[in-house]
Amino acid sequence: MQREDLPIAGSTFAPLHNAAFRSIWTSTQVANLGWLVQTVAISWLMATTSASDLMVALVQASTTLPAFILSIVAGAVADNFSRRLVMIAGLSLIALASIVLSLSTGFGFVSPWLILGLGFLGGCGFALNDPAWHASVGDILDKRDIPAAVTLISVGYNMTRSIGPALSGAILAFLGPLAAFGFAAVANLAPLGSVLQNKWHVRPSPLPRERIATAIHDGMRFTALSSDIRAAIIRATLFGLAAISILALLPLIARDRLAGGPILYGILFAGFGTGACIAGLSNRVLRKVVPQEWLMALASIACALCCLSLAFTSNPIIATLALVFGGAGWVITWTGFDVWVQLASPRWVVGRTLSIYYACLSGGIAAGSCIWGTVAQSYSLATSLELAACALFLVGSLGFVLPVLLGADGDQLGSEFLAPQLALDLKPRSGPIAARTVYLIADESLETFLSHMRARRFAMSRAGARDWTLQRDLRTPAQWTETFRTPTWMDFLRLNHRLSPADQEISELLFALHEGDRPPQTDLAIERTTDAQSVERARFASVR
């Protein structure tokens, strides 16, 4: 199995030295506690008001489906507008959903479909907030602190997961659902206030905003051409589809297999959160001892064993211990995937890659909730858990087939590209633009040149080049011509700003192989049509 260890910062708690991160992280834990109290209350309320196992499982799907639908658009918005303002919009939706749910419960207007609808509204808030918040981590902190920050975010959530469910069970048993929903409504206002109070510096782009449709297209193209991000997304989606069986079916396990009430359900949920919290706090040590790919495989196996234990046991103590291992596997896996995507993404596109990642894994979680709920209703709860365990064993082996290899430390940075001087006065939307670079390559350097050109094609296409080609002159075989197009002049400027230091190093290697008296010249042309048959003519302006 190939591996690429994640960079390890000096301390898991180092990001908390940053005031903005500390404030938002702390307030987020308050909101997490409220959200978990609300989630447990909703799940139990659905289990007691609906006879359908599928409706119970759909509680998880209702909050994750919006991320599948909206995250890609939200990521494009986060990369083109203020991520802080996007977070404010998302957090406002979450708070609104909690307030309406508590008011509806207070006035007696609760129904299964209303519960799912408000869960969907809250999920829309998360779809906006999560990509912007996780992308902002790289703006607030240094890159070396990103793994620790992602771990802290996961640890914080799972720390509250170990407290929230038990607290929710007690509130449900002694005070009722209204008190649980009221507590959540107040708690969900905390991060909104924190983000409103804090601002952080974001490196400004020298270029104007992209159109949303173009930004989405560029983000999807970059993701599709990035093997590391693509592998992480595929594996995260499949893991989410299989592992969500634990949480989606947990109310049914507490009610049917263990014959318990809301307090037992809260205890089981707390066991899951405790395991997640322990694994999060020890994640840094584990990454030092165990290669990351092996650690991810072991985490999937832990979740699979948790499913099998829940399928066969009727003892609450054994079930709680099994959930401790399941929670540990859950947080190790999600932390690994999240850090992989963060570190493999340049800053110009990180919001979009994260949003595509969240959209796919949310789609997997939503689909898994439906699948395992349907299997439990059509066959049995044990059958559903057993099949989920088999799926998790398969997911754990994917590291052998789809490994993730991280790039160099500087790959998140763009270039300080200076626009060339032109004889024509081009507008940002002028185009299409054609670029042509000619190289003179000796026969003994040909294999090295072609190897660098393969990397060049990948880098240029990922940054936005269209119709990239490499041509060899038939009369002068030593002459090779690289060509590509961009739709507009602004797209050409964006492409060059997006090239990472590693991408620019490829250009330097190619220039070193050039045998001409002068460095390779790049000619730029704007395409024009002269008749109805779209015959294209070009006027070239030579630039160094």
Side-chain angles (χ1 to χ4, degrees), residues 72 76 79-80 207-226 229 346 348-350 352-353 356 460-466 486-488 490-495 498:
I72 295 177
D79 279 335
N80 282 278
L207 303 176
R209 296 189 182 107
E210 294 179 87
R211 292 185 301 167
I212 296 300
T214 303
I216 293 173
H217 176 270
D218 289 351
M220 295 183 71
R221 179 186 59 225
F222 182 90
T223 302
L225 292 174
S226 301
I229 299 175
W348 67 268
V349 77
V350 64
R352 279 164 280 184
T353 55
I356 294 170
M460 296 296 288
S461 299
R462 197 171 65 164
R466 313 281 181 90
T486 60
T488 67
M490 183 56 61
D491 289 319
F492 176 80
L493 297 179
R494 290 189 196 282
L495 182 154
R498 291 169 177 174

Side-chain angles (χ1 to χ4, degrees), residues 440 514-521 544:
L440 295 175
H514 178 67
E515 295 289 327
D517 296 332
R518 297 188 306 164
Q521 299 290 303
R544 178 69 59 109

Side-chain angles (χ1 to χ4, degrees), residues 100 103 124 128 131 141 145 174 225 229 307 326 364 426 540:
V100 172
L103 291 175
C124 290
L128 282 173
L141 302 170
D145 288 329
F174 298 109
L225 292 174
I229 299 175
C307 285
L426 297 185
F540 285 90

